[in-house]
Amino acid sequence: MKDMNELLQAAQEAAQNIQAQMADAQAGLDKIEVEGASGGGLVKIRATAKGRILGVALDDSLLNPSEKHMLEDLIAAAINDARAKADAAGSAEMSKMTAGLPLPPGFKLPF
């Protein structure tokens, strides 16, 4: 049987390995792009799976001052759509990484 020091060393190495994998996964989330849309595609928001907004595209037909309130609502809806897709993409990537770990149900990484 291994002595306590060897067991602690192995646990520490495993924890460091998992921490490095988590850091790599988090960095990868910023490379995955999603697009949220509203108004039938009149407003589009590009974002990363980490939630960073990359760009906003507005159809020219929306650039009417009398439609300002509708445009604001469409932008908010597109951002929310992009955020939901970013969350889904992030969850999918993280579940790939944690697939082999014996985590209790409902336990989410990163902490």
Side-chain angles (χ1 to χ4, degrees):
M1 183 168 173
K2 295 182 181 181
D3 71 7
M4 185 61 82
N5 287 337
E6 288 176 348
L7 291 173
L8 288 174
Q9 180 67 27
Q12 185 176 15
E13 288 173 5
Q16 289 172 344
N17 186 25
I18 290 171
Q19 187 175 20
Q21 289 175 351
M22 289 295 296
D24 289 344
Q26 286 291 320
L29 292 179
D30 207 40
K31 294 176 182 158
I32 297 171
E33 287 188 26
V34 296
E35 181 178 88
S38 66
L42 294 175
V43 175
K44 295 178 183 176
I45 304 290
R46 286 185 315 109
T48 67
K50 208 167 183 178
R52 187 169 54 93
I53 302 298
L54 300 173
V56 177
L58 305 174
D59 188 271
D60 290 341
S61 66
L62 296 172
L63 302 177
N64 182 348
S66 66
E67 300 292 327
K68 180 180 183 276
H69 183 68
M70 181 187 68
L71 178 58
E72 292 168 345
D73 289 345
L74 289 172
I75 291 171
I79 289 172
N80 289 331
D81 187 41
R83 182 72 231 163
K85 289 176 180 175
D87 289 345
S91 293
E93 284 298 307
M94 295 308 285
S95 68
K96 288 179 193 175
M97 199 202 89
T98 60
L101 298 176
L103 299 174
F107 189 82
K108 294 184 179 185
L109 292 175
F111 310 101

